[in-house]
Amino acid sequence: MSELTTRPADVQETETWRELWMDRLTQYAARTRRPARTAQAAARRERAEEAVLLRLIDGDEPVGYLSLLQIEQDGARIMVLEDLHIEEPYRRRGYGRAALAIAREWTRGRSPRVNMGVDPTDPAQQALFRDVPLGSQNMHKDLGERPTLPDGVTVRRMSATEFGPWWTEQMAGYAESFVLNGLLTEEEARERAERQSAELLPSGLDTPGHDIYTIVAEDKPVASIWVCHEVEPDTSFVFDVVVDDGHRGKGYGRAAMLVAEQSALDAGAQVLGLNVFGHNEVALRLYTSLGYRPTSQMRTMTV
């Protein structure tokens, strides 16, 4: 490989890339058994403050595409590596890593980091992005029979008295996770946590479509879990699960996840999803052991 260079894609190349990109998004949705988000992806590109599509060139030979976006999200400026595609005859020659370096240089001066969505079911993408830190990962589980809780564990709706302290802790933990994984600054994370949480639960415990439970063992609250329904068709989503200090390592996190499955099935869902931050290796192991499969990853490259 000689030095990889770039030039803006022309009109015909842009149209060709768009068709290939939409087709790849559809194939990805089929592999992960999730709804195709082609319309959302196209709309995000249209709304971007800056959208760049570069043709990757080796000598005079076009070898792939690199799509980069600058977007506003929750009041913050976000740089996104939207697509990095090396055409089949030119793969396994180092073009992907060279294109990553180009993306880093494009981001420099605009932002201290660039985010990228990665397909966890694609070995080529996993190999290319393996050194880029994992910020967060979506996982989904196909639900089957209603699970039973372990002996000695019961569940009840969270009380109004419990809700206030839980709410404060939930927002603080959510914001901290963004910072720990390099996704946002402390100020950006705090603002996003406050805004998103308020939008999700405008009526607190009485917000329709949301179930918040307290897990009880030995006559004491030991954990909590927050489940939202109809996030996608036939899909519920775990927004937060917490095992209280002093009760960790006793299986209560697993019990809380079984409560989430019960809640999802009661709501008519066939799939239960969640998002786990990359630093939370304990939770990643738990979800994997319960049968959740990774469906998307957000990785963040610092510049």
Side-chain angles (χ1 to χ4, degrees), residues 32-44:
T32 57
R33 304 197 299 278
R34 306 307 307 144
R37 297 187 177 276
T38 52
Q40 295 93 324
R44 182 177 67 168

Side-chain angles (χ1 to χ4, degrees), residues 57-125:
I57 308 292
D58 184 357
D60 295 326
E61 191 72 21
V63 300
Y65 293 93
L66 178 63
S67 175
L68 298 157
L69 305 179
Q70 177 179 304
I71 63 175
E72 285 288 329
Q73 182 173 303
D74 296 323
R77 177 180 294 174
I78 307 295
M79 304 300 157
V80 178
L81 193 164
E82 181 183 44
D83 186 40
L84 195 172
H85 179 66
I86 305 300
E87 294 166 20
E88 182 61 42
Y90 305 102
R91 294 178 184 174
R92 294 170 290 278
R93 301 186 188 181
Y95 292 125
R97 295 198 176 278
L100 271 181
I102 292 170
R104 179 181 280 114
E105 286 304 312
W106 180 84
T107 304
R108 200 181 306 278
R110 291 178 168 89
S111 174
R113 59 191 176 272
V114 57
N115 296 338
M116 57 203 72
V118 179
D119 178 1
T121 68
D122 184 341
Q125 286 198 26

Side-chain angles (χ1 to χ4, degrees), residues 222 243-250 252:
V222 296
V243 179
D244 297 342
D245 291 340
H247 297 288
R248 292 171 184 166
K250 300 178 181 180
Y252 297 138

Side-chain angles (χ1 to χ4, degrees), residues 16-289:
T16 298
W17 168 80
R18 191 183 303 276
E19 292 177 2
L20 291 171
W21 179 49
M22 291 295 173
D23 184 59
R24 282 185 279 114
L25 288 176
T26 301
Q27 293 178 27
Y28 160 69
R31 285 196 303 273
T32 57
R33 304 197 299 278
R34 306 307 307 144
R37 297 187 177 276
T38 52
Q40 295 93 324
R44 182 177 67 168
R45 185 173 180 81
E46 290 297 322
R47 292 195 303 268
E49 292 188 347
E50 184 177 4
V52 176
L53 179 62
L54 301 174
R55 199 70 162 109
L56 301 171
I57 308 292
D58 184 357
D60 295 326
E61 191 72 21
V63 300
Y65 293 93
L66 178 63
S67 175
L68 298 157
L69 305 179
Q70 177 179 304
I71 63 175
E72 285 288 329
Q73 182 173 303
D74 296 323
R77 177 180 294 174
I78 307 295
M79 304 300 157
V80 178
L81 193 164
E82 181 183 44
D83 186 40
L84 195 172
H85 179 66
I86 305 300
E87 294 166 20
E88 182 61 42
Y90 305 102
R91 294 178 184 174
R92 294 170 290 278
R93 301 186 188 181
Y95 292 125
R97 295 198 176 278
L100 271 181
I102 292 170
R104 179 181 280 114
E105 286 304 312
W106 180 84
T107 304
R108 200 181 306 278
R110 291 178 168 89
S111 174
R113 59 191 176 272
V114 57
N115 296 338
M116 57 203 72
V118 179
D119 178 1
T121 68
D122 184 341
Q125 286 198 26
Q126 289 297 296
L128 174 59
F129 298 109
R130 66 176 179 267
D131 295 329
V132 179
L134 176 64
S136 64
Q137 177 169 259
N138 275 345
M139 305 180 77
H140 289 81
K141 178 179 181 178
D142 298 319
L143 299 176
E145 295 183 0
R146 182 182 179 86
T148 57
L149 299 183
D151 293 340
V153 176
T154 59
V155 59
R156 60 171 169 79
R157 299 277 180 173
M158 181 174 285
S159 69
T161 302
E162 293 169 321
F163 178 75
W166 171 85
W167 178 252
T168 300
E169 183 179 353
Q170 189 275 330
M171 285 195 295
Y174 185 52
E176 182 183 26
S177 292
F178 280 109
V179 177
L180 287 174
N181 290 278
L183 297 171
L184 296 172
T185 66
E186 289 187 14
E187 182 178 359
E188 291 169 347
R190 184 175 59 254
E191 291 178 354
R192 179 182 291 192
E194 292 175 354
R195 181 167 48 253
Q196 289 188 343
S197 296
E199 291 172 352
L200 288 169
L201 287 179
S203 300
L205 289 171
D206 297 324
T207 303
H210 293 260
D211 291 327
I212 305 175
Y213 299 100
T214 296
I215 315 302
V216 178
E218 301 176 4
D219 298 322
K220 298 178 181 178
V222 296
S224 62
I225 194 158
W226 173 13
V227 187
C228 179
H229 306 296
E230 288 299 321
V231 174
E232 296 171 347
D234 301 319
T235 301
S236 295
F237 207 88
V238 175
F239 278 175
D240 187 58
V241 57
V242 175
V243 179
D244 297 342
D245 291 340
H247 297 288
R248 292 171 184 166
K250 300 178 181 180
Y252 297 138
R254 179 177 293 268
M257 293 304 298
L258 297 181
V259 169
E261 290 189 33
Q262 292 179 344
S263 178
L265 288 166
D266 290 345
Q270 299 176 12
V271 177
L272 184 59
L274 55 86
N275 183 76
V276 56
F277 287 100
H279 74 280
N280 198 342
E281 295 182 0
V282 173
L284 279 167
R285 289 195 295 270
L286 171 62
Y287 302 146
T288 300
S289 73

